[in-house]
Amino acid sequence: LVNGVKRKCDFRVAGGERLEWRQRTEGAPTLDPNLVPEQFRREFRVCYEDDDLAVVWKPEGVDTAGGNVCHEGSSWSAVRISYHFLRPSAARGAYRRPRAVHRLDAPTSGLLCLAKTQPACAALCQ
């Protein structure tokens, strides 16, 4: 936030503004998986999770990150769905939301690796 207002990542500060960073931390409430449309919730699974990374089962018909699947006016992606199922990371360099380190096409189901921290993302993307 810049002076209490959410700004896009390319916003340039002039100096003297008050910057605030909000991050999910251990102990923060997990988002409610029941908010995810049932058609995705049925097949989506967390196969492995620790503070640095997660491996999830992405059902077919769901984009990895783009959110092309529209349900009641909202777009849903595997990354957005996973945010509702994964625990917040207490590790240093934790992301607010997990990041996909590779992609699976929307028609493809399979295991998807998500980085929960900056160091994990850097290591997995090498």
Side-chain angles (χ1 to χ4, degrees):
L1 302 175
V2 179
N3 292 331
V5 177
K6 185 177 179 180
R7 300 292 184 174
K8 293 189 176 198
C9 62
D10 62 350
F11 181 81
R12 294 183 186 259
V13 293
E17 292 93 347
R18 182 174 162 252
L19 304 178
E20 186 178 339
W21 174 260
R22 294 183 180 173
Q23 181 173 328
R24 290 177 71 201
T25 59
E26 188 172 22
T30 302
L31 295 175
D32 185 0
N34 292 318
L35 297 175
V36 176
E38 186 176 343
Q39 68 192 63
F40 308 134
R41 196 172 60 235
R42 262 184 307 207
E43 296 182 47
F44 187 88
R45 296 287 175 266
V46 177
C47 301
Y48 175 82
E49 180 181 13
D50 63 25
D51 265 354
D52 295 303
L53 65 99
V55 178
V56 299
W57 178 262
K58 182 195 88 65
E60 67 179 73
V62 177
D63 240 10
T64 295
N68 290 339
V69 178
C70 199
H71 184 271
E72 296 177 4
S74 294
S75 60
W76 288 89
S77 68
V79 171
R80 182 172 177 207
I81 292 168
S82 70
Y83 187 57
H84 291 268
F85 287 86
L86 301 178
R87 295 183 317 268
S89 176
R92 186 179 187 125
Y95 289 129
R96 183 171 165 261
R97 292 185 179 187
R99 304 223 174 142
V101 296
H102 66 95
R103 296 189 183 274
L104 295 174
D105 292 336
T108 306
S109 62
L111 295 174
L112 181 65
C113 188
L114 303 168
K116 293 172 69 176
T117 65
Q118 294 170 354
C121 188
L124 292 167
C125 290
Q126 287 184 1

